[in-house]
Each structure stands twice: as C-alpha cells, then as structure tokens.
Amino acid sequence: MYPAKAHAIKTFSKLVELLPDIERNKPQIALLAGSVTPFRNDTDRELPFRQESNFYYLSGCTILSSYLLIAYQNGTSFATNPSVQLFIPKVELADLMWSVPPPSIEEASATHDVTRVDHSEALPDAIQELLRAFPEATFHILPASASFPTIPSKYTGLPLASNMRVTEDYLLPALHQARLTKDAAEIALIRQANAISSRAHETVMRVLGQGVRGAIKRGKGAGVDRPLLPSEWLIEKEAEAEALFVASCRREGAVHQAYLPIVAAANRASTLHYCCNDKEFAWGPVGDHDHHNHNEFVHDQARQLHPQVLLIDAGCEWNCYAADITRTMPVGNGGKFTPEARAIYELVLEMQRDAMEVVKPGIHWDAVHFLCHRTLVRGFQRLGIFKTPSSPGSGSWNSEEAILASGVSTAFFPHGLGHSLGLDVHDVPSASKPEKNDTIQRSVELGHESFYTYLRLRLPLEEDMVVTVEPGIYFSPHLLAPIRDSRHIDHDVLKRYESVGGVRIEDVVVVTKNGYENLTTVRSDVDWVEGVCSGAL
C-alpha cells in the first residue's frame, strides 16, 4: 500500500520547521483538493485525468474530485499518527452510465493508507469537528492559482468563520521539501517507470534496425487493401517513432507519459523541447492525412535517408511517478553514426560518465554541472572545434581555464545537467532551486554565470534524491549566432559538425549512501546503439 501517512508525517515535520517558534507546537490542519475531470475548451469532451501530485503524495488516491483533510500536532500522538481523512464522490447514476464509477467507501478504505474514508458530503462536518477539537490550529491550503485544484469557498469559509488563521504560505514549501528525497516505495515506482520506458526506447531502436536489414516484410495488400499491421510498420517519421514508443508503454500498463515526448530528427535535435514530432526524417513536413510509408527506409532502395540523428527524450509514468530518458540514435548510413556524429556522441557520453563518477551525498550539483562543461571544453579542444594555446596564432587566451571563464561553452550546452524527478518530471522546483540558497553562497563560484541560468537543481546532493543526469551538445544556429566571431573557436572545424544537430543522453539515478544507482536500463554505449540500430544485434 502506498505510504500516505508516512508522507503526511514527513510533510508536517517540514512544515513545523518553517513556522515561527511560537507556532510550532500548535495544531496544524491542512485541506487539499484532488483534480477534477478536465474538459476540452467549452465542450463536454473529457481530457485525460491525472491526479494533482501533492494530493497523491499525501493520499495515494487517484479518484477524481476527492478531498483530503489532515490534522497534525507536534509533540502529541498526532505527530506519529496524524488524522488523515479522505473524501470521495458518491456513486451517481450518471457515473454508472457514462464512465467508471468511484469505489465504495469500503473498497477505498482497503486500498488507501488513511484514517478514514467517507463521501464528500461529510467533509463540512469533518472540518467543523476539527475546528472544535483544535480551536488554536492554523489551517493550511495550497496557493490559490491555476496550478492547483480550487477548494470551494464553502469549505475554506468554515475556518474563516471561526476566526482561524488560514494560510497558503507553508504547505507547498513543506511538500516540496518532503518530496525532494524519496522513500523505498517511491523509488520502486520510479524504477518501474524507468524499466518500461527503457524497453520502449529499445523497441524503437530495434524497429529501426529491422528496417535497415530489410526484415520488415509486408503481406499481400498491406497499406493498399488493408491497413498495415504493427509487424509491418516502418519508422520514417518522427511521429511514427513517437507512436511506437507510446504504444510500447501502454502495452505494459503505463497510463500517462510523464511529459510530451520529444522526437527530433536531424538538425531539429538542436531544439531542446522540440515536441512537434511532425516531420519526416529526410523530406520535410508531413501532410495531415499522409499515413503511408513506401518501404524506402531500407538502405538498398532507390531513395535513401540522409545520415542523421534521431533524439528521443521520453518517459512514462507508473502510478504517477515519472521516468525521463533520452537516447540519441543513428538514422540512415546503415544505422551507423557519421564520424562527426559519433565523435559528438562519444563526448556527450564522456560528459555523463564523468558526472556520474562524482555523484554522491554532499557534492554540490553546481560542481557536477561545471565538470560537464570542463569535459566539453577538453573534448572540443581534442576535436579542434575549440582552439588551444598551441593552435596557429593562438595563445594563453585559449587555455582550458580561459575558455571556461568566457562562458562560450554555454552556446553548445545551454541547459542544466539535470533536475529532481519524482511525481513530476521537473520535480519540486521551490525546493530544488530555492530563492534563498545559502549553499551557493558557501560554494566557490565555478565557471561562467551563464552555466547556471537553466540549472533546475542547485543544492548539495542527499541520499535518496532522484535526479536526471542529461548532458548534451547542440549546434543551434540561434545559440551559435552570438559567438560566430569568437576567437576561441576554429570556425572551419565547427562547420563540419553543425549538421549533427544535437546529442543528448539522459539517465535517472538515485543517490545512495556511497554513490548512486542508475535506474535507467536501456544501454547507451555507442557500439551497442549502432549494433541495434543497424540490425546487427
């Protein structure tokens, strides 16, 4: 059973630490609303339902239109056994006719780690009972914004009518701090999401490889007199790769993708959050009704794909917990990287390995991120993209340290190395990158300030944090424009690599007592990737 009460204790322990000293031993009450069924614009067409993350963290409940009422008091029995009451909708005839009805009270009580389950109609009386029992309590809610489900005034008005303090200042920061580290149950769910997503990434690679080998055969009338069967599908478009990835996840029981999949071929891989996924690999826009492959993926046909990369950044959810995996694979060229793409891929893999070698509790994430910039600079100097002091007409201004200080590497690696991951793919932002952050002030400034603009985690690592490690190198014309005259760059050499577009490799790791465990199981070593994508393995 999902450990909702343990999460409530952890959250309120964090909340009490945020309160003024005089308030810390007073009773604390919290009311949260679950998500409701979303509808498309002004119609009655349902959109996919997904529970609000904080509500799920404290309840383990995916029942729509539910409420959660919690009472906690430091220094009393409520500190170790808080009152956690879950209120779910009553079954209505329309529910039985149009959709799957909510569970009964008895069914929900057996599957949720809460003190009590009742119907939503009982919520006002439950609030009033807590107000009478704890008249000195503070009443906590999440901020009133579009980011969280709205609590009707008929509920929030009850503590206000009793002159009880109602505040939105503490609950969300406490939840984010509690969610920053994960317990064993959460890690198990993230592990499962990563296992399913890893297999989906490998499925796409293997279908690409089958296409290269000509192993995908089509039966009589395929695509003409009858639809293509899954065993006859080729991947010649970004959308087809996305469809296969999502289908693989759904076949294994994953309900949601953790975010919009990013499936970017060729130079579109230089766009970090490219989620259009609407282009063919080599031949431009896809028509609205163009669903027909023509078996031209196979390398010995008349029309061949240009050598290019396919970057897929995608991961599913498992019981609301996310995976976030990126793999970059070769398309065309017989399923092999071009020499330039292979060199960039191997450098990104080196950046990731260098980062992972230092991941352990206590190291500041800024330092790990900076290490990746150092590895990039060294790699670019080896490739000749960046000059060295010994380059013709060069000098000390092209030393490794001088290039790092210039910030020019940000044009090629503009995003952060990684972020916290859990119930949300970019998890707990206020805790991961707090506005007031003494850990940065205490650390030695590392490199150029532009390195950290988009770094979503700026803390020392702690045991049981779950983070992504996702270095990348990109050749975006928009980001390269301001450095076209940089004296650190050999621009003739750079031109040879710009057609690569972009390479990113991303795994999910949990920080352990002495290092880390990689929860992502799909391989990324270059020989294996080429072997699978060429059909050799």
Side-chain angles (χ1 to χ4, degrees), residues 55 95 107 114 141 144 157 160 216 237 283 290 313 321 386 418 440 482 520 535:
F55 188 91
D95 297 322
E107 290 169 334
V114 295
I141 57 174
L160 290 172
I216 297 178
K237 307 173 185 176
W283 308 293
D290 182 6
D313 184 338
Y321 281 84
F386 284 169
I440 295 176
T520 301

Side-chain angles (χ1 to χ4, degrees), residues 5-37:
K5 275 197 174 181
H7 292 173
I9 293 169
K10 186 178 181 183
T11 299
F12 276 87
S13 297
K14 299 290 186 183
L15 186 148
V16 166
E17 293 175 1
L18 298 173
L19 294 172
D21 290 344
I22 196 172
E23 301 286 334
R24 291 185 175 180
N25 289 325
K26 291 184 177 180
Q28 312 296 328
I29 300 172
L31 177 63
L32 294 90
S35 296
V36 300
T37 302

Side-chain angles (χ1 to χ4, degrees), residues 155-269:
Y155 300 137
T156 56
L158 295 175
L160 290 172
S162 300
N163 294 318
M164 182 173 287
R165 182 189 178 201
V166 178
T167 178
E168 56 186 43
D169 294 339
Y170 302 104
L171 182 56
L172 183 62
L175 276 159
H176 279 191
Q177 290 181 25
R179 289 170 50 194
L180 187 61
T181 57
K182 276 65 180 179
D183 57 32
E186 294 179 284
I187 293 170
L189 295 173
I190 297 170
R191 189 190 309 276
Q192 177 70 350
N194 273 270
I196 293 171
S197 302
S198 291
R199 289 189 286 270
H201 277 278
E202 183 172 342
T203 296
V204 174
M205 293 183 196
R206 292 197 176 278
V207 172
L208 287 171
Q210 287 184 340
V212 171
R213 288 193 300 112
I216 297 178
K217 306 297 184 181
R218 292 180 176 173
K220 182 178 179 180
V224 179
D225 299 324
R226 62 169 176 81
L228 298 177
L229 301 178
S231 62
E232 300 169 314
W233 289 354
L234 289 166
I235 302 176
E236 295 181 328
K237 307 173 185 176
E238 295 163 347
E240 292 167 342
E242 177 187 8
L244 188 58
F245 182 93
V246 174
S248 180
C249 294
R250 288 295 281 131
R251 288 189 72 253
E252 294 205 45
V255 176
H256 296 292
Q257 293 295 297
Y259 51 99
L260 291 175
I262 298 164
V263 185
N267 60 359
R268 294 181 293 278

Side-chain angles (χ1 to χ4, degrees), residues 93-148:
L93 178 60
D95 297 322
L96 298 170
M97 181 173 64
W98 289 107
S99 60
V100 177
S104 67
I105 291 175
E106 293 73 23
E107 290 169 334
S109 298
T111 55
H112 291 82
D113 180 26
V114 295
T115 308
R116 171 196 177 200
V117 178
D118 209 332
H119 288 135
S120 303
E121 291 81 354
L123 177 57
D125 287 343
I127 294 174
Q128 292 283 22
E129 183 178 346
L130 287 181
L131 298 181
R132 290 191 294 269
F134 303 109
E136 300 298 318
T138 300
F139 201 94
H140 300 273
I141 57 174
L142 292 174
S145 77
S147 298
F148 306 106

Side-chain angles (χ1 to χ4, degrees), residues 447-461:
H448 195 271
E449 62 182 1
S450 65
F451 292 174
Y452 307 99
T453 302
Y454 299 107
L455 186 58
R456 290 187 170 93
L457 176 62
R458 300 204 65 183
L459 295 172
L461 295 180

